[in-house]
Amino acid sequence: MADGYLEKHHEDYEARKAAWLRKKRHLPKTGKREIERPDDWAL
């Protein structure tokens, strides 16, 4: 194997992981939704 092969791949992995974490932090939070119930339950 070439010198630095594992180090280079680890650096690439860390860069992809950091980008993924930055993107993940900016995603909107999904909360519970209130179910709209009809006024007349007989329907």
Side-chain angles (χ1 to χ4, degrees), residues 3 29-30 34:
D3 290 333
K29 301 286 183 187
T30 56
E34 291 286 330

Side-chain angles (χ1 to χ4, degrees), residues 11-40:
E11 290 170 6
D12 291 342
Y13 163 77
E14 290 295 333
R16 288 193 316 269
K17 180 181 173 183
W20 179 79
L21 287 173
R22 279 192 306 271
K23 182 180 177 186
K24 181 181 174 189
R25 285 188 199 125
H26 294 292
L27 292 177
K29 301 286 183 187
T30 56
K32 288 187 175 182
R33 292 186 181 184
E34 291 286 330
I35 299 174
E36 294 183 23
R37 296 193 171 108
D39 293 335
D40 186 7

Side-chain angles (χ1 to χ4, degrees), residues 3-15:
D3 290 333
Y5 176 81
L6 293 176
E7 289 82 3
K8 174 66 176 150
H9 281 275
H10 185 69
E11 290 170 6
D12 291 342
Y13 163 77
E14 290 295 333

